[in-house]
Amino acid sequence: MLKVYLSGEIHTDWRDQITTGAQGLDVTFTSPVTDHAASDDCGVAILGEEPNKYWHDHKGAMVNAIRTRKAITDADVVVVRFGEKYRQWNAAFDAGFAAALGKSLIILQQPDHDHALKEVDAAALAVAREPSQVVEILRYVLDGTLPA
């Protein structure tokens, strides 16, 4: 079984496209909490309120980091999606962490991000443009088959 962690932007359905496309493959998927409000507020919900927004965000980031580090450590493949509209600084961290652990890293991005992400892309084993390409990579890794 291949364990795949799906990291990055949470505003589109790219994860659903990959998980749906990979049905029938021996793959399990994990991901960060994609409910933006829950992800932002997890720290204060668990550890107590913070009047200062910096510390509010810091608590959430630390709690989320526990989940993220565990998931990336357990993964065989890490897919990191950089979206068009929002800057995903956490996705860049996830890519670097996965690369430092020697994980197989696939970056999913649009061509207009090529220059900005050149160092991130250099750490990846593949840079895909579409979720369907990620599915085809997973299929090839597991079955050795090429797209029809």
Side-chain angles (χ1 to χ4, degrees), residues 110-130:
Q110 296 305 306
D112 59 330
H113 284 82
D114 287 350
H115 179 73
L117 294 173
K118 62 186 177 293
E119 288 84 6
V120 172
D121 292 348
L125 296 178
V127 177
R129 304 299 188 193
E130 299 294 333

Side-chain angles (χ1 to χ4, degrees), residues 7 16 23 26 34 70 73 76 88 115-117 138 140 144:
S7 172
D16 293 336
Q23 287 180 352
D26 195 13
T34 58
K70 166 101 173 80
T73 299
D76 300 306
Q88 292 86 38
H115 179 73
L117 294 173
L138 299 176
Y140 182 79

Side-chain angles (χ1 to χ4, degrees), residues 23-39:
Q23 287 180 352
L25 296 177
D26 195 13
V27 180
T28 59
F29 293 99
T30 56
S31 68
V33 172
T34 58
D35 176 323
H36 202 159
S39 177

